[in-house]
Amino acid sequence: MSSERRHDNGVEGGHNGCDPRNDILRRDLVDLTYKSSTRDCVVATGTLDDTYTGTTIAFVRGQDTSTAVQIDHVFALSDAWQKGAQQPSPEQRRDLANDPRNLQAVDGPTNSKKSDSDAASWLPPNKSYRWTYVSRQIDVKALYRLWVTQAEKDAMSQVPHSC
């Protein structure tokens, strides 16, 4: 079993014995292969059709290659903390951190540029994905009862629904 954290939490897909990173890789990549003796928990290779950039990325597990595909918290955890995530129980905060609705496999360098930005200061470069991105943030914020600042609301309202 991988040394990565197991996905044992209260969200859908939790308690499956696999870690959240591999759960999301398995969900978001195609043409998967798995590391042997991991019960198909550890993704070895795959292909990501990256929604943030609109590019295709080959994923190969390895010390120098795994960062090409990162798992993004669509609603960044440090931003969530500033917008009310300190109020729920520790279990609810753990669920927010591991909720597949808030996790997405994306281009590593683009995720690094996003960092902990909110929608007022960062949107995916792929304009055709922006509405989906903003919608996911809204859904997660509503589910966990987190705040939306006026700047975020203004930025979100500028994203056309037709993207």
Side-chain angles (χ1 to χ4, degrees):
M1 184 72 190
S2 167
S3 63
E4 297 179 60
R5 239 180 22 227
R6 290 171 52 124
H7 196 168
D8 293 331
N9 55 59
V11 298
E12 184 176 332
H15 302 290
N16 67 358
C18 300
D19 64 90
R21 175 176 171 73
N22 281 290
D23 282 340
I24 301 305
L25 290 173
R26 194 169 47 256
R27 182 194 70 191
D28 293 354
L29 276 62
V30 296
D31 302 324
L32 298 169
T33 65
Y34 298 94
K35 188 174 174 183
S36 62
S37 303
T38 65
R39 299 178 334 271
D40 289 349
C41 268
V42 179
V43 174
T45 64
T47 302
L48 174 67
D49 290 323
D50 180 45
T51 55
Y52 281 9
T53 63
T55 62
T56 300
I57 303 166
F59 171 79
V60 178
R61 178 171 297 283
Q63 183 175 345
D64 298 325
T65 56
S66 288
T67 58
V69 174
Q70 295 179 8
I71 306 303
D72 181 37
H73 286 93
V74 175
F75 180 25
L77 295 181
S78 63
D79 187 41
W81 190 260
Q82 297 171 39
K83 294 172 180 160
Q86 72 278 14
Q87 294 178 359
S89 70
E91 293 80 14
Q92 290 170 314
R93 290 194 301 267
R94 182 198 61 220
D95 288 352
L96 170 64
N98 293 290
D99 193 326
R101 293 167 287 202
N102 193 35
L103 297 173
Q104 181 168 335
V106 298
D107 173 65
T110 301
N111 187 45
S112 294
K113 287 178 189 171
K114 174 194 170 201
S115 186
D116 59 357
S117 298
D118 65 14
S121 53
W122 188 90
L123 290 169
N126 179 8
K127 291 180 181 180
S128 67
Y129 186 71
R130 288 181 177 177
W131 175 246
T132 302
Y133 175 80
V134 165
S135 295
R136 286 183 70 183
Q137 281 200 354
I138 292 167
D139 290 347
V140 170
K141 287 177 183 232
L143 180 66
Y144 290 95
R145 297 184 178 112
L146 302 172
W147 313 320
V148 176
T149 66
Q150 187 62 50
E152 282 179 291
K153 184 177 179 181
D154 292 347
M156 290 173 170
S157 67
Q158 297 300 313
V159 175
H161 293 252
S162 62
C163 290

